Amino acid sequence: MRNKYMITAIICCALFLLLPALPKQLSLVSVFRVTEEPAVIVRGASGSALTVNISFGDLEVEKWIRELSKPYPLLLVDMKWAGRFPETVQLIKEKNISVGLLGDNGITYDQNTPLFIEQLEQFEKTFGVKPLWFRTVDEVFPSTLHSMLWEAEINALGSSVVWDGGDLPVITKGEIISVPHHRDNRVDLAKLKRLDKDRTFISVETMLFGTKVNVKKIPE
Protein backbone atom coordinates (compact mmCIF):
# COMPACT_ATOMS: atom_id res chain seq x y z
CA MET A 1 0.00 0.00 0.00
CA ARG A 2 2.81 2.35 0.91
CA ASN A 3 4.52 1.70 -2.41
CA LYS A 4 1.24 2.41 -4.21
CA TYR A 5 1.01 5.86 -2.62
CA MET A 6 4.64 6.58 -3.50
CA ILE A 7 4.10 5.61 -7.14
CA THR A 8 0.99 7.82 -7.33
CA ALA A 9 2.91 10.77 -5.88
CA ILE A 10 5.75 10.30 -8.36
CA ILE A 11 3.32 10.21 -11.31
CA CYS A 12 1.59 13.42 -10.12
CA CYS A 13 4.92 15.22 -9.79
CA ALA A 14 5.97 14.08 -13.25
CA LEU A 15 2.73 15.32 -14.82
CA PHE A 16 3.13 18.68 -13.08
CA LEU A 17 6.67 19.09 -14.43
CA LEU A 18 5.67 18.07 -17.95
CA LEU A 19 2.69 20.42 -18.25
CA PRO A 20 3.59 23.54 -20.30
CA ALA A 21 3.84 26.78 -18.37
CA LEU A 22 1.23 29.45 -19.03
CA PRO A 23 2.52 32.42 -21.05
CA LYS A 24 3.47 35.49 -19.04
CA GLN A 25 0.44 37.54 -20.09
CA LEU A 26 -2.01 34.63 -20.13
CA SER A 27 -3.60 33.11 -17.06
CA LEU A 28 -6.57 30.93 -16.24
CA VAL A 29 -8.39 34.15 -15.38
CA SER A 30 -8.05 35.41 -18.94
CA VAL A 31 -10.43 32.75 -20.25
CA PHE A 32 -12.72 32.40 -17.23
CA ARG A 33 -16.43 33.12 -17.60
CA VAL A 34 -17.93 34.47 -14.37
CA THR A 35 -21.60 33.69 -14.98
CA GLU A 36 -23.21 30.41 -16.01
CA GLU A 37 -25.70 32.08 -18.37
CA PRO A 38 -25.88 35.41 -20.27
CA ALA A 39 -26.06 38.23 -17.75
CA VAL A 40 -24.48 41.59 -16.90
CA ILE A 41 -22.27 41.61 -13.81
CA VAL A 42 -23.09 44.61 -11.64
CA ARG A 43 -21.96 43.63 -8.13
CA GLY A 44 -19.84 41.16 -6.19
CA ALA A 45 -20.43 39.63 -2.77
CA SER A 46 -18.10 41.86 -0.75
CA GLY A 47 -15.48 44.58 -1.00
CA SER A 48 -15.23 47.54 -3.39
CA ALA A 49 -13.79 47.56 -6.91
CA LEU A 50 -12.91 50.60 -9.01
CA THR A 51 -13.26 50.70 -12.79
CA VAL A 52 -12.34 53.63 -15.04
CA ASN A 53 -13.66 54.10 -18.58
CA ILE A 54 -11.07 55.81 -20.79
CA SER A 55 -11.77 57.23 -24.25
CA PHE A 56 -10.11 60.64 -23.90
CA GLY A 57 -7.00 62.23 -22.46
CA ASP A 58 -3.28 62.32 -23.07
CA LEU A 59 -0.78 63.64 -20.55
CA GLU A 60 -3.16 63.63 -17.57
CA VAL A 61 -4.04 59.96 -18.18
CA GLU A 62 -0.39 58.99 -18.61
CA LYS A 63 0.57 60.85 -15.41
CA TRP A 64 -2.24 59.19 -13.47
CA ILE A 65 -1.27 55.72 -14.70
CA ARG A 66 2.38 56.29 -13.80
CA GLU A 67 1.36 57.17 -10.25
CA LEU A 68 -1.03 54.20 -9.82
CA SER A 69 -0.15 51.65 -7.16
CA LYS A 70 -1.63 48.23 -6.44
CA PRO A 71 -4.35 47.15 -6.23
CA TYR A 72 -4.91 48.72 -9.65
CA PRO A 73 -8.37 49.69 -10.89
CA LEU A 74 -9.72 47.91 -13.93
CA LEU A 75 -9.27 50.12 -17.01
CA LEU A 76 -11.96 49.86 -19.68
CA VAL A 77 -10.21 51.19 -22.77
CA ASP A 78 -11.67 52.56 -25.99
CA MET A 79 -9.65 51.21 -28.90
CA LYS A 80 -9.65 54.49 -30.86
CA TRP A 81 -8.04 56.11 -27.83
CA ALA A 82 -5.56 53.23 -27.52
CA GLY A 83 -4.56 53.72 -31.15
CA ARG A 84 -3.81 57.41 -30.57
CA PHE A 85 -1.65 56.90 -27.48
CA PRO A 86 0.52 53.76 -27.89
CA GLU A 87 3.04 55.03 -25.32
CA THR A 88 0.37 55.09 -22.62
CA VAL A 89 -0.84 51.66 -23.69
CA GLN A 90 2.73 50.37 -23.37
CA LEU A 91 2.90 51.80 -19.85
CA ILE A 92 -0.33 49.98 -18.95
CA LYS A 93 1.18 46.72 -20.19
CA GLU A 94 4.48 47.29 -18.40
CA LYS A 95 2.66 47.83 -15.10
CA ASN A 96 0.49 44.76 -15.80
CA ILE A 97 -2.74 46.66 -15.13
CA SER A 98 -5.94 44.75 -15.86
CA VAL A 99 -7.65 46.06 -18.98
CA GLY A 100 -11.08 45.48 -20.49
CA LEU A 101 -12.65 46.57 -23.75
CA LEU A 102 -14.79 49.71 -23.72
CA GLY A 103 -17.31 49.76 -26.54
CA ASP A 104 -19.75 52.28 -27.96
CA ASN A 105 -23.34 52.86 -26.84
CA GLY A 106 -25.27 49.62 -26.64
CA ILE A 107 -27.74 50.37 -29.42
CA THR A 108 -24.86 50.78 -31.86
CA TYR A 109 -24.31 47.02 -31.91
CA ASP A 110 -27.88 46.36 -33.06
CA GLN A 111 -27.25 48.65 -36.01
CA ASN A 112 -23.66 47.56 -36.71
CA THR A 113 -23.03 43.98 -35.60
CA PRO A 114 -19.51 43.70 -37.16
CA LEU A 115 -18.33 46.55 -34.93
CA PHE A 116 -17.83 44.29 -31.90
CA ILE A 117 -15.64 41.88 -33.88
CA GLU A 118 -13.54 44.78 -35.18
CA GLN A 119 -13.05 46.17 -31.66
CA LEU A 120 -12.25 42.73 -30.27
CA GLU A 121 -9.63 42.08 -32.97
CA GLN A 122 -8.05 45.47 -32.32
CA PHE A 123 -7.90 44.78 -28.57
CA GLU A 124 -6.20 41.43 -29.12
CA LYS A 125 -3.73 43.03 -31.53
CA THR A 126 -2.96 45.82 -29.05
CA PHE A 127 -2.78 43.88 -25.78
CA GLY A 128 -1.94 40.39 -27.01
CA VAL A 129 -4.84 38.71 -25.19
CA LYS A 130 -8.60 38.46 -25.45
CA PRO A 131 -10.39 40.79 -23.00
CA LEU A 132 -12.06 39.22 -19.99
CA TRP A 133 -14.36 42.24 -19.55
CA PHE A 134 -16.50 44.31 -21.92
CA ARG A 135 -18.56 47.39 -21.13
CA THR A 136 -20.58 49.70 -23.34
CA VAL A 137 -20.27 53.43 -22.65
CA ASP A 138 -23.88 53.65 -21.48
CA GLU A 139 -23.82 50.21 -19.79
CA VAL A 140 -26.68 49.06 -22.03
CA PHE A 141 -26.30 45.52 -23.39
CA PRO A 142 -28.89 44.62 -26.07
CA SER A 143 -29.54 40.94 -26.68
CA THR A 144 -27.60 40.92 -29.97
CA LEU A 145 -24.47 42.19 -28.27
CA HIS A 146 -24.87 39.93 -25.29
CA SER A 147 -25.13 36.87 -27.54
CA MET A 148 -21.84 37.85 -29.19
CA LEU A 149 -20.16 38.35 -25.82
CA TRP A 150 -21.40 34.98 -24.57
CA GLU A 151 -20.15 33.21 -27.68
CA ALA A 152 -16.76 34.95 -27.37
CA GLU A 153 -16.57 34.01 -23.65
CA ILE A 154 -16.25 37.64 -22.58
CA ASN A 155 -18.03 38.94 -19.47
CA ALA A 156 -20.48 41.83 -19.75
CA LEU A 157 -19.51 44.22 -16.95
CA GLY A 158 -21.84 46.91 -15.69
CA SER A 159 -21.49 48.75 -12.39
CA SER A 160 -23.26 49.33 -9.10
CA VAL A 161 -22.80 53.09 -9.29
CA VAL A 162 -21.35 55.65 -11.69
CA TRP A 163 -19.39 58.32 -9.83
CA ASP A 164 -19.37 61.77 -11.45
CA GLY A 165 -16.83 63.37 -9.12
CA GLY A 166 -19.42 64.86 -6.76
CA ASP A 167 -20.50 63.54 -3.38
CA LEU A 168 -18.95 60.20 -2.51
CA PRO A 169 -21.38 57.28 -2.88
CA VAL A 170 -22.47 55.35 0.19
CA ILE A 171 -20.32 52.25 0.65
CA THR A 172 -22.13 49.02 -0.21
CA LYS A 173 -20.87 45.44 -0.13
CA GLY A 174 -19.58 44.19 -3.44
CA GLU A 175 -19.89 47.54 -5.18
CA ILE A 176 -18.35 48.05 -8.61
CA ILE A 177 -17.77 51.76 -9.12
CA SER A 178 -17.55 53.15 -12.64
CA VAL A 179 -15.75 56.45 -13.33
CA PRO A 180 -16.02 58.08 -16.79
CA HIS A 181 -13.16 59.81 -18.56
CA HIS A 182 -14.50 60.92 -21.94
CA ARG A 183 -14.27 64.15 -23.92
CA ASP A 184 -17.71 65.40 -22.87
CA ASN A 185 -18.04 63.57 -19.59
CA ARG A 186 -15.01 63.05 -17.42
CA VAL A 187 -13.95 63.11 -13.82
CA ASP A 188 -10.67 64.78 -12.90
CA LEU A 189 -8.49 61.75 -12.25
CA ALA A 190 -6.83 63.53 -9.33
CA LYS A 191 -10.21 63.38 -7.55
CA LEU A 192 -9.98 59.61 -7.39
CA LYS A 193 -7.78 60.10 -4.33
CA ARG A 194 -11.00 61.02 -2.50
CA LEU A 195 -12.38 57.58 -3.27
CA ASP A 196 -9.13 55.91 -2.18
CA LYS A 197 -9.31 57.64 1.19
CA ASP A 198 -12.97 56.74 1.64
CA ARG A 199 -12.75 52.97 1.08
CA THR A 200 -10.30 50.13 0.51
CA PHE A 201 -10.38 48.86 -3.06
CA ILE A 202 -9.69 45.36 -4.32
CA SER A 203 -9.38 44.26 -7.93
CA VAL A 204 -12.46 43.19 -9.87
CA GLU A 205 -10.88 39.74 -10.31
CA THR A 206 -10.32 39.37 -6.56
CA MET A 207 -13.90 40.43 -5.88
CA LEU A 208 -15.61 38.20 -8.40
CA PHE A 209 -13.68 34.98 -8.91
CA GLY A 210 -14.68 32.34 -6.46
CA THR A 211 -17.43 34.50 -4.98
CA LYS A 212 -21.14 34.91 -5.57
CA VAL A 213 -21.91 37.78 -7.93
CA ASN A 214 -25.08 39.75 -8.57
CA VAL A 215 -26.12 39.88 -12.20
CA LYS A 216 -28.72 41.63 -14.33
CA LYS A 217 -30.52 39.45 -16.87
CA ILE A 218 -30.73 40.68 -20.44
CA PRO A 219 -34.34 41.09 -21.64
CA GLU A 220 -35.38 38.96 -24.60
Side-chain angles (χ1 to χ4, degrees):
M1 181 66 69
R2 185 176 179 181
N3 290 336
K4 183 178 180 180
Y5 284 134
M6 289 181 66
I7 292 172
T8 302
I10 291 171
I11 292 173
C12 290
C13 291
L15 288 173
F16 178 80
L17 293 173
L18 290 173
L19 286 173
L22 291 171
K24 183 177 180 181
Q25 291 188 342
L26 182 63
S27 66
L28 296 177
V29 173
S30 68
V31 293
F32 191 86
R33 182 185 282 158
V34 175
T35 59
E36 295 181 356
E37 57 184 6
V40 181
I41 301 162
V42 296
R43 188 185 301 277
S46 62
S48 300
L50 177 62
T51 65
V52 182
N53 302 340
I54 302 177
S55 67
F56 177 80
D58 183 6
L59 296 179
E60 73 274 24
V61 175
E62 180 181 350
K63 180 177 182 295
W64 174 68
I65 290 174
R66 287 190 183 280
E67 295 175 351
L68 279 179
S69 57
K70 295 180 179 180
Y72 298 131
L74 172 65
L75 306 183
L76 283 302
V77 174
D78 172 82
M79 295 318 299
K80 292 179 181 177
W81 174 86
R84 291 194 299 270
F85 303 107
E87 296 84 0
T88 306
V89 168
Q90 182 59 34
L91 179 61
I92 292 172
K93 292 193 286 187
E94 288 175 357
K95 297 191 71 167
N96 199 28
I97 300 173
S98 293
V99 182
L101 175 56
L102 180 67
D104 294 11
N105 288 323
I107 193 174
T108 306
Y109 297 94
D110 275 338
Q111 303 167 343
N112 183 8
T113 52
L115 177 61
F116 171 72
I117 302 301
E118 295 172 6
Q119 293 172 333
L120 178 56
E121 290 176 348
Q122 187 59 44
F123 185 98
E124 293 183 8
K125 181 179 178 180
T126 301
F127 292 99
V129 294
K130 183 171 69 175
L132 178 61
W133 313 106
F134 179 89
R135 173 183 286 164
T136 57
V137 171
D138 55 2
E139 297 193 16
V140 172
F141 296 83
S143 58
T144 300
L145 172 61
H146 212 283
S147 296
M148 291 189 291
L149 288 169
W150 186 250
E151 184 176 348
E153 296 185 324
I154 298 172
N155 295 292
L157 184 67
S159 66
S160 313
V161 59
V162 178
W163 187 58
D164 60 5
D167 294 339
L168 295 176
V170 176
I171 299 175
T172 58
K173 290 183 178 180
E175 63 185 358
I176 299 174
I177 300 177
S178 174
V179 176
H181 198 267
H182 313 302
R183 178 182 295 275
D184 300 320
N185 176 27
R186 62 183 182 274
V187 173
D188 183 350
L189 295 174
K191 290 185 177 181
L192 294 182
K193 293 180 180 178
R194 292 174 55 201
L195 281 174
D196 284 331
K197 292 179 180 179
D198 188 59
R199 64 250 287 154
T200 300
F201 285 115
I202 58 177
S203 70
V204 171
E205 290 83 2
T206 300
M207 171 187 287
L208 297 180
F209 290 109
T211 67
K212 181 179 179 181
V213 299
N214 290 345
V215 298
K216 179 175 64 177
K217 295 289 184 65
I218 299 299
E220 296 292 339

